[in-house]
Amino acid sequence: MKKHLLSIDDVTVDDIHALFETAAEMHDVQRRDVKKLPALRGKTVINLFFEDSTRTRSSFEIAGKWLSADVINLSAKGSSTSKGESLRDTVLTVTAMGIDGLVMRHSASGAAQQVAGWLRQESSTIPVINAGDGTHEHPTQALLDAYTLTRRLGSLEGRHIAIVGDLTHSRVFRSGVKCLTKLGAEVTVVAPPTLMPSGITAWSKDAGFATSYDVDAVLPTADAVMMLRVQKERMSGGYFPTAREYTVGYGLTRSRLGLLKEGTPILHPGPMNRGLEIAPEAADAASSAVLDQVSAGVAIRMSVLYHLLAGPSAAATTGE
Amino acid sequence: MPTHDQVPEGSAPVESTDPGRIVLDSQDVTRALTRIAHEILERNKSAEDLVLLGLPTRGVPLAKRIAEKILAVEGTSVPVGELDVTMYRDDLKSHPTRSPHKTVVPAGGIDGKTVVLVDDVLYSGRTIRAALDALSDLGRPAVVRLAVLVDRGHRELPIRADHVGKNLPSARTERVSVRLAETDGPDCADEVRIATSIEGGRGA
């Protein structure tokens, strides 16, 4: 496994299976009285969040703590970033404190990559875990989604997964489609034309997934459906006339639930806009996997932290 | 991410040229386990409140076999579980990470029970140290005992086994390997081998 987890490109299929195997054991830990494993005792992980987050940050925090690491949360608000410190200086400052792992979220695509590059220049061995960078990638979300699906469906080989929603702004989609196709799933992504990323025709051909504008045509053959959040904070560009119109065209409404095969898992990375992209009936359906995703998130993040932080540091093994 | 490099101590499959010599064959293994089963019963006075916890990988089938033998002797079915110690090892930093095995606690739990840890080879004692830590996170047994198929010596910690299949004096440079039908394929006869290792045994 590579030193950093910046993108799904950093993990091989074997890595993904090893991560899932570990996650399955970590899942059991959640049900224990003593939810603590000593694997990362004495290690310190910093959650550096330049963008708002509840579940990803708390999920990483719980994951680190259950592995006995000390976890420190830093958010842009209330840190020296708000005094005008550059990203590079902030990162070098916290790493100079002697931390062992850096989890970061940033609104700029490629921020985690950039930080990993700066750390390499400083000959630092600290692994960087991308917890979401702009509209680029969110690898742990993709891993937890795929893990949730394998627990529901078994092997994803040949299974048809529909990803529906705002593809243009979605890092969940970008990481997700890579991860699911790596595991052999047949993915169809569905969005209104205005929220279909430019250049997706060539990309989908290369990467081996399908695109569609017609959600009603895709749902009947789906083995699972992943709804994406309509990111209201990024919706200033007039992508659709009204929220109502989006729901009618692309929301997982009560009537669309009837198009799905019985028991088809419904995923949503959260936070949900109930009544906009997902109807309450779908979010709370027996087949909804939304809360499974949350508990899988902790297990997957424990697995990632364990595999990246517990072993010998890169410097010790490869002399890099 | 290799998954095979952190083998249970002293029980790596024999590679290289030296096939070594067999110190316990299939019948010897059966006899040893039968004796251990009897010893456990004698020590515990009965099969009441007993729980056998096998340490993956090869401790697990050994624990199951001991439970079968106890069932045959006493007519009581003893709960068998699995206790993985990967996350509790003190040498995590010196090996590439490996996915943990399953930990399975029997339905009745371990609180107030007599827990017998079962492993194939007792060597440095570090695995057992890790197992004791793992156990305390799962509950509070009344008594913890240790049963091993082979004790090859070279302890690095103050740990000893209560029930030993065979004491096998060995040099640190030798490799002791255990093969069981359950873990090494159905065509594989149970055996314990000792061989000289080119690498000079386990690093620690």
Side-chain angles (χ1 to χ4, degrees):
Chain A
M1 200 152 165
K2 285 199 184 171
K3 189 172 98 181
H4 305 295
L5 180 61
L6 305 173
S7 154
I8 287 294
D9 298 333
D10 289 336
V11 288
T12 63
V13 174
D14 285 346
D15 289 341
I16 294 174
H17 286 302
L19 286 167
F20 285 7
E21 214 177 294
T22 305
E25 298 315 310
M26 298 304 97
H27 228 119
D28 289 342
V29 174
Q30 292 176 359
R31 289 192 288 269
R32 288 196 199 164
D33 287 344
V34 180
K35 295 180 190 63
K36 250 331 189 201
L37 292 167
L40 298 184
R41 200 163 57 92
K43 306 242 181 199
T44 305
V45 177
I46 288 218
N47 283 340
L48 198 53
F49 276 63
F50 294 94
E51 229 185 24
D52 293 340
S53 161
T54 318
R55 73 199 66 218
T56 305
R57 199 185 63 186
S58 51
S59 178
F60 266 112
E61 183 174 0
I62 292 173
K65 286 184 170 167
W66 284 357
L67 288 170
S68 303
D70 292 303
V71 183
I72 286 137
N73 289 316
L74 281 185
S75 54
K77 230 174 278 166
S79 75
S80 38
T81 312
S82 55
K83 297 182 191 164
E85 190 176 54
S86 72
L87 175 61
R88 184 170 183 275
D89 285 335
T90 305
V91 167
L92 295 184
T93 302
V94 297
T95 53
M97 293 177 186
I99 61 166
D100 302 287
L102 183 65
V103 176
M104 68 169 283
R105 165 169 290 190
H106 199 283
S107 58
S109 301
Q113 206 96 36
Q114 180 74 67
V115 164
W118 288 329
L119 291 177
R120 198 174 309 121
Q121 282 170 12
E122 302 291 320
S123 325
S124 160
T125 59
I126 298 169
V128 178
I129 298 168
N130 182 5
D133 59 331
T135 59
H136 178 226
E137 285 230 32
H138 191 355
T140 57
Q141 179 72 41
L143 289 167
L144 76 89
D145 288 342
Y147 173 75
T148 304
L149 285 171
T150 54
R151 280 175 74 99
R152 286 278 180 111
L153 303 174
S155 166
L156 299 186
E157 196 74 51
R159 305 309 286 266
H160 181 210
I161 317 284
I163 302 179
V164 184
D166 172 7
L167 301 176
T168 297
H169 301 100
S170 178
R171 53 194 174 209
V172 175
F173 145 66
R174 279 179 184 76
S175 289
V177 77
K178 282 184 189 175
C179 188
L180 293 169
T181 48
K182 257 185 195 195
L183 294 172
E186 282 163 21
V187 181
T188 304
V189 299
V190 188
T194 49
L195 291 170
M196 205 49 107
S198 57
I200 196 163
T201 320
W203 173 25
S204 62
K205 208 171 283 169
D206 285 349
F209 63 92
T211 60
S212 169
Y213 298 137
D214 184 357
V215 68
D216 295 320
V218 173
L219 292 183
T221 57
D223 293 308
V225 53
M226 290 174 61
M227 301 307 296
L228 299 173
R229 183 170 68 95
V230 172
Q231 306 188 29
K232 289 179 186 154
E233 68 271 26
R234 301 189 222 263
M235 281 304 130
S236 47
Y239 295 100
F240 44 83
T242 63
R244 180 80 202 126
E245 215 152 318
Y246 181 87
T247 309
V248 169
Y250 292 91
L252 188 56
T253 55
R254 187 161 50 170
S255 58
R256 285 208 174 95
L257 274 181
L259 295 174
L260 291 171
K261 289 185 279 188
E262 181 78 28
T264 302
I266 299 163
L267 281 75
H268 190 297
M272 292 187 280
N273 297 306
R274 279 173 186 260
L276 179 50
E277 73 267 4
I278 187 164
E281 291 84 351
D284 302 328
S287 57
S288 162
V290 174
L291 293 178
D292 291 354
Q293 287 173 276
V294 177
S295 73
V298 176
I300 279 288
R301 286 167 183 132
M302 286 176 83
S303 176
V304 167
L305 287 172
Y306 167 70
H307 281 290
L308 293 189
L309 267 65
S313 69
T317 47
T318 62
E320 257 177 43
Chain B
M1 193 187 308
T3 50
H4 299 293
D5 31 32
Q6 200 185 336
V7 291
E9 56 179 79
S11 63
V14 184
E15 335 114 359
S16 78
T17 46
D18 180 14
R21 74 190 155 82
I22 295 182
V23 285
L24 292 180
D25 64 16
S26 162
Q27 287 194 332
D28 295 331
V29 170
T30 304
R31 276 188 215 109
L33 293 177
T34 307
R35 181 169 52 73
I36 289 173
H38 279 102
E39 279 182 18
I40 290 172
L41 283 172
E42 201 176 309
R43 184 79 179 269
N44 202 50
K45 306 282 196 277
S46 73
E48 283 293 290
D49 287 335
L50 266 180
V51 175
L52 303 182
L53 287 183
L55 306 188
T57 46
R58 292 187 183 78
V60 175
L62 290 175
K64 287 179 182 155
R65 290 196 204 177
I66 292 172
E68 282 164 21
K69 295 192 185 301
I70 291 177
L71 178 63
V73 177
E74 204 79 347
T76 312
S77 171
V78 173
V80 180
E82 302 177 25
L83 181 65
D84 180 69
V85 306
T86 308
M87 295 267 177
Y88 294 85
R89 296 194 73 96
D90 58 7
D91 57 357
L92 277 178
K93 276 187 209 64
S94 46
H95 296 279
T97 53
R98 181 192 75 173
S99 291
H101 294 284
K102 250 189 201 7
T103 289
V104 181
V105 180
I110 57 167
D111 287 339
K113 302 286 171 69
T114 299
V115 171
V116 181
L117 300 174
V118 182
D119 203 1
D120 53 353
V121 179
L122 178 58
Y123 185 21
S124 65
R126 289 179 188 268
T127 302
I128 304 306
R129 201 271 322 150
L132 292 171
D133 278 358
L135 206 53
S136 69
D137 282 355
L138 292 175
R140 185 182 184 280
V143 180
V144 182
R145 298 211 174 97
L146 174 61
V148 295
L149 184 59
V150 175
D151 180 352
R152 61 169 294 190
H154 303 291
R155 214 75 76 241
E156 292 164 6
L157 295 169
I159 280 170
R160 61 163 179 76
D162 299 270
H163 312 292
V164 179
K166 180 165 180 67
N167 281 302
L168 182 62
S170 63
R172 276 182 188 273
T173 52
E174 288 171 315
R175 295 183 81 90
V176 175
S177 66
V178 174
R179 286 176 172 256
L180 299 171
E182 295 95 322
T183 51
D184 302 278
D187 300 333
C188 183
D190 299 341
E191 64 175 34
V192 178
R193 272 175 194 271
I194 187 162
T196 39
S197 164
I198 297 157
E199 303 140 64
R202 201 176 55 96

